[in-house]
């Protein structure tokens, strides 16, 4: 019989039993084994991301050494290297083409395990890493961050399968977030990216998985590389008196980012359907042609457009140099060509570099505003225009540059850029590509004739 002096709690009897976790369940060895496997998987994502980053730097150094030995070598190395990478991606590790983010998004909506393995698997993860390194060693304008998302999602999906966790969409989301966090050393950006871009929603049960995975991967990355800022620490700042820079960068970055996404989607459709589908039957020749075009652009710009573009963006932010006016359009075109040729590789770093090039142009027209501030605003506006995820763009650039004083101007510029980008390109590039993957998988399940496998695998 309850004591008369005990205070009455009306909610105590209303709480559903499913919200209470019994102590024996929480302390169960089986559950702790699952937790340890999950945490270990997230740690492996961080380790792989760090090793991938180091290997990518070495791959770019190899290409620079080859280019220094003979300026004409890219005309042979880049086309042949891209053709080889496209052939291996098509024949040996299908599903590894492009950035990998569309595959991770599509896999969250796939129920059939066999179909899901066509998008995320250990085999694809290994092939993704190796072929991305091949692309960088051949001068392709690609990044490693998008591939890290697919690799992270594959690792977490495998860890969850071993642990018997279930909740595969949440594991994919957590793996992708951990990949972004470890690739850039930006834990908040990893969380925001998972919510805003991959899930397009906030799932209460999934948020815990994402947070734990990001923390575990981030701790491993920080332990190996230290608590660094991807683009170093900048002293850039912008006040509301610099509204001209905010509006100019938002306008130019949004239209350019939306134009890039439209160009990428249009070129992908043209390759799948152009000339009655005959183009799609020759993916290696497409990669060869794109590689030759990349070599021409690289030679015309003095080698500036080869690789991720990280060094160029870092040099501008550090005040070491300004980029020529032609860098932004040339890098944009080189990134588009790298994105459609069927090789593994992402658009994160090249997009940020294009934004830095736009900032050099706009900054020259606004001498009263700090060039570093204009460059940061341009990077966030162009990136927001490309991916149409303004919060991700703001958080990722803020964390990478360690510039919290720029937060509000960056938010305004990203919001304006995203609005303008959607007028130019109504569909997000990653989700449009994810829809293509899903359409191919559904057509295969239904036994209907689909486009050729080369055409069915979009790149960005």
């Amino acid at each position: 019989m309850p004591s008369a002096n005990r205070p009455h709690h009306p909610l105590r009897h209303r709480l559903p039993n499913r919200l209470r976790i019994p102590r024996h369940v929480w302390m169960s060895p089986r559950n702790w084994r699952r937790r340890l496997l999950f945490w270990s998987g997230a740690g492996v994502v961080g380790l792989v991301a760090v090793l991938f980053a180091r290997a990518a730097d070495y791959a770019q150094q190899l290409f620079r050494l080859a280019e220094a030995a003979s300026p004409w070598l890219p005309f042979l190395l880049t086309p042949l290297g891209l053709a080889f990478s496209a052939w291996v991606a098509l024949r040996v590790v299908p599903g590894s083409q492009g950035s990998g983010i569309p595959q991770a998004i599509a896999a969250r909506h796939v129920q059939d395990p066999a179909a899901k393995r066509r998008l995320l698997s250990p085999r694809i993860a290994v092939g993704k890493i190796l072929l991305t390194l091949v692309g960088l060693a051949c001068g392709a304008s690609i990044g490693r961050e998008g591939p890290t998302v697919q690799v992270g999602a594959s690792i977490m999906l495998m860890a969850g399968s071993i642990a018997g966790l279930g909740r595969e969409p949440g594991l994919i989301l957590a793996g992708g977030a951990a990949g972004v966090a470890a690739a850039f050393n930006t834990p908040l950006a990893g969380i925001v990216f998972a919510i805003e871009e991959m899930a397009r929603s906030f799932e209460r049960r999934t948020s815990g998985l994402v947070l734990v995975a990001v923390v575990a991967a981030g701790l491993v990355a920080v332990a190996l590389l230290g608590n660094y800022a991807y683009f170093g620490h900048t002293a850039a700042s912008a006040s509301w008196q610099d509204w001209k820079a905010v509006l100019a960068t938002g306008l130019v970055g949004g239209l350019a980012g939306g134009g890039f996404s439209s160009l990428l989607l249009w070129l992908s459709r043209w390759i799948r359907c152009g000339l009655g589908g005959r183009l799609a039957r020759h993916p290696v020749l497409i990669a060869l042609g794109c590689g030759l075009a990349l070599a021409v652009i690289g030679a015309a710009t003095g080698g500036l457009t080869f690789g991720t573009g990280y060094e160029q963006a870092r040099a501008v932010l550090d005040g070491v140099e300004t980029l020529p006016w032609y860098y932004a359009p040339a890098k944009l075109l080189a990134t588009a060509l790298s994105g459609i040729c069927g090789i593994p590789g992402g658009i994160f770093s090249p997009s940020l570099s294009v934004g830095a090039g736009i900032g050099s142009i706009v900054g020259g027209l606004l001498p009263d505003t700090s060039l570093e501030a204009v460059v940061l605003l341009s990077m966030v506006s162009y990136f927001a225009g490309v991916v149409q995820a303004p919060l991700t763009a703001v958080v990722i650039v803020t964390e990478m540059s360690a510039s919290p004083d720029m937060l509000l101007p960056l938010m305004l510029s990203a919001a304006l850029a995203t609005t303008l980008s959607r007028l130019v390109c109504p569909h997000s590039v990653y989700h449009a590509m994810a829809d293509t993957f899903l359409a191919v998988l559904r057509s295969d399940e239904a036994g209907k004739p689909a486009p050729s496998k080369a055409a069915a695998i979009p790149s960005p």
Side-chain angles (χ1 to χ4, degrees):
M1 181 174 180
S3 170
N5 296 325
R6 181 178 296 173
H8 177 63
H9 296 284
L11 291 179
R12 175 175 296 171
H13 303 290
R14 298 181 188 176
L15 285 174
N17 291 330
R18 62 184 176 84
L19 294 182
R20 300 175 183 171
I21 302 177
R23 183 174 298 178
H24 73 276
V25 173
W26 190 82
M27 295 296 293
S28 165
R30 181 183 179 187
N31 285 339
W32 273 104
R33 175 180 172 274
R34 289 177 173 178
R35 294 187 188 103
L36 289 174
L37 285 170
F38 176 80
W39 297 338
S40 299
V44 170
V45 173
L47 176 62
V48 170
V50 169
L51 295 177
F52 191 13
R54 291 292 179 87
D57 292 339
Y58 287 129
Q60 291 188 92
Q61 289 177 14
L62 285 175
F63 179 79
R64 283 192 290 270
L65 290 174
E67 185 187 17
S70 173
W72 297 103
L73 192 56
F75 284 90
L76 180 65
L77 177 62
T78 304
L80 293 180
L82 266 59
F84 169 77
S85 180
W87 182 86
V88 175
L90 179 65
R91 301 297 181 187
V92 182
V93 278
S96 65
Q97 295 94 327
S99 80
I101 294 175
Q103 289 95 316
I105 293 173
R108 296 189 71 245
H109 303 282
V110 175
Q111 301 298 325
D112 180 41
K116 192 168 294 186
R117 285 194 296 272
R118 293 175 58 185
L119 302 172
L120 301 174
S121 71
R123 178 189 180 90
I124 290 177
V126 172
K128 190 79 169 188
I129 293 173
L130 295 178
L131 292 179
T132 300
L133 296 177
V134 170
L136 289 172
C138 295
S141 180
I142 55 176
R144 58 175 171 81
E145 296 77 20
T148 307
V149 170
Q150 187 179 15
V151 171
S154 297
I155 292 173
M156 291 305 298
L157 193 61
M158 181 177 65
S161 176
I162 295 172
L165 284 175
R167 297 165 63 179
E168 290 185 346
L171 290 169
I172 294 170
L173 200 65
V180 170
F184 284 120
N185 190 33
T186 52
L188 289 179
I191 295 171
V192 174
F193 172 78
I195 295 169
E196 184 182 35
E197 180 59 21
M198 287 189 67
R200 289 290 168 100
S201 66
F202 189 89
E203 301 176 24
R204 183 180 63 84
R205 292 187 65 197
T206 298
S207 62
L209 291 176
V210 171
L211 184 59
V212 172
V214 164
V215 169
L219 286 175
V220 172
V222 169
L224 294 175
L225 297 179
N227 191 19
Y228 70 101
Y230 187 80
F231 281 121
H233 295 267
T234 69
S237 62
S239 64
W240 293 112
Q241 285 72 32
D242 297 319
W243 59 270
K244 291 181 181 179
V246 174
L247 293 179
T249 54
L251 176 65
V252 177
L255 293 177
F260 171 80
S261 296
S262 294
L263 175 64
L264 210 55
L265 294 174
W266 179 82
L267 287 173
S268 296
R269 285 193 298 268
W270 182 65
I271 288 174
R272 289 197 303 271
C273 308
L275 302 178
R278 289 192 294 273
L279 273 177
R281 290 194 279 272
H282 303 285
V284 175
L285 290 180
I286 291 173
L288 196 71
C290 289
L292 183 60
L294 285 175
V296 171
I297 296 171
T301 58
L304 288 177
T305 57
F306 291 126
T308 64
Y310 167 79
E311 292 181 352
Q312 288 79 7
R314 179 69 184 265
V316 175
L317 287 174
D318 289 344
V320 175
E321 63 179 1
T322 57
L323 295 170
W325 65 268
Y326 53 80
Y327 175 77
K331 185 66 175 174
L332 185 153
L333 181 57
T335 305
L337 290 171
S338 299
I340 64 168
C341 66
I343 67 170
I347 60 175
F348 262 54
S349 286
S351 294
L352 292 170
S353 189
V354 173
I358 293 173
S360 291
I361 298 173
V362 176
L365 302 176
L366 300 172
D368 296 332
T369 305
S370 163
L371 177 61
E372 290 80 6
V374 176
V375 170
L376 283 178
L377 288 168
S378 298
M379 289 169 71
V380 79
S381 62
Y382 179 77
F383 187 69
V386 171
V387 301
Q388 296 184 359
L391 289 179
T392 298
V394 169
V395 175
I396 206 168
V397 171
T398 301
E399 284 192 288
M400 284 193 307
S401 59
S403 52
D405 293 341
M406 289 284 296
L407 184 59
L408 290 179
L410 289 174
M411 290 175 67
L412 180 58
S413 183
L416 175 60
T418 303
T419 301
L420 293 174
S421 173
R422 286 172 179 161
L423 296 177
V424 178
C425 183
H427 303 290
S428 163
V429 63
Y430 288 140
H431 284 263
M433 292 294 178
D435 290 342
T436 303
F437 276 110
L438 290 172
V440 171
L441 292 175
R442 292 187 185 116
S443 67
D444 288 352
E445 290 176 3
K448 297 178 181 179
S452 72
K453 295 300 181 186
I457 302 295
S459 290

